[in-house]
Amino acid sequence: SLVATMVGGGVLSLPFAMSQCGLVLGTACLLLSAVGSAWTLSMLVDCARATGRDSFELVGHAAYGEMSRKATIALVFLICWLTKIAYFVLLTDLMVPVAELIV
């Protein structure tokens, strides 16, 4: 699922990001990201409840019309596509040492 994909990438990259930022800045960025995520999720749930819609595209359609529904579909597709590319890059980086051991 999309959630498992996003969580998996975060679990793999979070230790490296924290080591590069340092404890104070890394923790501050992590907390800021958590607050932003909680806020946007709360807004999305409020919009879904207010419109009676239950998906990203339908909430976008209820808010701004047909063009917004199409834009939402395109953005969800783009996020999934970019996530796939990120995983291919990550997999390549992980497989290079394994390939060097074999060859």
Side-chain angles (χ1 to χ4, degrees):
S1 74
L2 184 59
V3 173
T5 300
M6 293 186 315
V7 169
V11 167
L12 292 173
S13 62
L14 187 59
F16 176 75
M18 290 292 284
S19 73
Q20 296 298 306
C21 289
L23 184 62
V24 175
L25 181 60
T27 302
C29 288
L30 191 61
L31 289 175
L32 184 64
S33 177
V35 168
S37 294
W39 182 50
T40 55
L41 179 62
S42 176
M43 286 192 303
L44 184 60
V45 168
D46 290 344
C47 289
R49 286 181 179 158
T51 61
R53 304 306 201 288
D54 62 352
S55 70
F56 287 125
E57 66 182 88
L58 293 178
V59 169
H61 183 265
Y64 298 108
E66 183 62 25
M67 285 301 292
S68 176
R69 185 183 74 81
K70 291 178 181 177
T72 304
I73 292 170
L75 287 173
V76 170
F77 173 79
L78 182 66
I79 288 170
C80 291
W81 184 66
L82 291 173
T83 301
K84 181 179 77 167
I85 290 173
Y87 268 106
F88 282 143
V89 169
L90 179 65
L91 184 63
T92 302
D93 288 344
L94 293 174
M95 292 306 292
V96 167
V98 173
E100 288 174 350
L101 289 174
I102 295 172
V103 174

